[in-house]
């Protein structure tokens, strides 16, 4: 008797209009996944949808305009996406910004925006996703964190790295809460990637191009690990040295 084909996986991605979010959408569409793409810019989302459908006419793509700092808008977008796709199997908490400056200078508003978007926005997305996953007893919640979550960083990276540390801690706490529920939680820690968002970072050590980084992220997420450092070379090898390095040396290396 032939084995039936697997059901099409339904994936929601926030921050899908640019950077890693857009690249993940391209990669998963090519794998035959159904997608709910969320971002603030409708024009960019529409261009991406048209591109995906041109490349993969069988793809199912729904679009949802949302600012992840608005919890009611996030709730509505996740509910609408679940209705459009007939449910959700994976939610990728990816939306983020990287503005700001060292505290006490001229970057206060940009620092607050970074904190609201990256951390509070992640809380909103996780709350909404789990209201879908918990009744189903299944789902995969993915947080796109950063290697900068492993250590505090100075200057323009200070608030950004702090928000990513919070995202990683949120993921770990949820993983503990959700043991035995059928819901998986993954925290992905990419190294530097040459995207528009990262273009103002003062240092880009061992940066990857978006294509290489996305291949590593998608491959890791498909395995559903607790955490992943990507691309594995060099970042998986550097995770523990980064944590253990004396602050003075770390500051000279990473800023």
């Amino acid at each position: 008797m032939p084995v039936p084909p697997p059901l099409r996986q339904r994936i929601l991605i926030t921050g899908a209009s640019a950077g890693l979010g857009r690249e993940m959408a391209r990669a998963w569409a090519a794998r035959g996944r159904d997608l709910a793409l969320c971002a603030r810019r409708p024009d960019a989302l529409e261009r991406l949808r048209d591109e995906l459908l041109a490349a993969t006419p069988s793809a199912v793509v729904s679009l949802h305009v949302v600012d992840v700092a608005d919890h009611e808008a996030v709730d509505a977008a996740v509910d609408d996406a679940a209705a459009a796709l007939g449910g959700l199997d994976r939610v990728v908490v990816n939306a983020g910004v990287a503005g700001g400056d060292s505290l006490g200078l001229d970057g206060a508003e940009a620092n607050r925006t970074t904190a609201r978007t990256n951390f509070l926005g992640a809380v909103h997305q996780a709350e909404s996703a789990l209201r879908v996953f918990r009744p189903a007893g299944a789902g995969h919640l993915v947080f796109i964190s950063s290697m900068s979550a492993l250590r505090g960083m100075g200057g323009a990276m200070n608030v950004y790295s702090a928000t990513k540390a919070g995202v990683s801690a949120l993921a770990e706490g949820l993983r503990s809460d959700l043991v035995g529920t059928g819901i998986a939680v993954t925290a992905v820690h990419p190294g530097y990637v040459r995207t528009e968002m990262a273009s103002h970072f003062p240092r880009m050590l061992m940066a990857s191009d978006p294509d290489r980084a996305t291949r590593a992220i998608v491959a890791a997420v498909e395995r559903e690990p607790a955490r992943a450092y990507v691309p594995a070379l060099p970042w998986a090898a550097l995770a523990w040295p980064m944590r253990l390095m004396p602050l003075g040396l770390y500051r000279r290396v990473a800023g």
Side-chain angles (χ1 to χ4, degrees):
M1 181 175 179
V3 177
L7 295 174
R8 293 171 66 105
Q9 191 178 61
R10 301 157 298 183
I11 304 175
L12 182 149
I13 306 169
T14 64
S17 62
L20 290 175
R22 181 174 59 198
E23 296 303 317
M24 286 187 283
R26 288 168 172 160
W28 272 314
R31 293 185 179 212
R33 310 300 196 250
D34 293 342
L35 300 176
L37 305 181
C38 304
R40 291 178 296 175
R41 297 180 294 164
D43 55 338
L45 285 175
E46 289 165 5
R47 287 194 298 271
L48 178 58
R49 177 194 58 198
D50 294 345
E51 173 198 324
L52 298 179
L53 293 177
T56 310
S58 62
V60 175
V61 181
S62 67
L63 304 183
H64 309 274
V65 179
V66 61
D67 181 343
V68 298
D70 181 341
H71 73 90
E72 291 182 351
V74 173
D75 283 348
V78 171
D79 288 346
D80 290 348
L85 301 185
L88 293 171
D89 303 300
R90 175 176 290 147
V91 171
V92 183
V93 177
N94 170 71
V97 296
D101 201 347
S102 184
L103 273 65
L105 299 178
D106 297 325
E109 184 54 39
N111 287 332
R112 286 191 285 269
T113 297
T114 297
R116 283 193 297 267
T117 303
N118 294 6
F119 183 71
L120 192 55
V123 173
H124 294 160
Q125 292 166 74
E127 287 271 15
S128 298
L130 288 171
R131 279 197 286 270
V132 174
F133 291 162
R134 282 184 185 271
H140 185 199
L141 184 58
V142 180
F143 293 89
I144 304 300
S145 182
S146 168
M147 290 299 296
S148 70
L150 305 187
R151 292 290 297 266
M153 301 186 75
M157 294 285 289
N158 189 191
V159 172
Y160 176 81
S161 67
T163 63
K164 292 301 186 177
V167 166
S168 294
L170 179 64
E172 185 169 23
L174 283 173
R175 196 178 306 117
S176 176
D177 281 349
L178 295 168
V179 167
T181 65
I183 301 168
V185 181
T186 296
V188 181
H189 300 80
Y192 287 110
V193 183
R194 298 185 191 93
T195 62
E196 181 181 349
M197 187 180 77
S199 61
H200 73 287
F201 287 168
R203 301 182 187 181
M204 293 279 284
L205 301 174
M206 296 175 284
S208 298
D209 64 82
D211 183 62
R212 179 179 179 234
T214 302
R215 289 197 307 271
I217 291 169
V218 168
V221 169
E222 294 280 302
R223 296 192 299 271
E224 300 190 2
R227 64 189 62 82
Y229 306 103
V230 297
L233 288 176
W235 298 110
L238 291 176
W240 278 109
M242 283 179 62
R243 289 187 177 97
L244 299 175
M245 192 180 296
L247 180 60
L249 177 58
Y250 184 77
R251 183 176 182 274
R252 289 196 294 273
V253 172

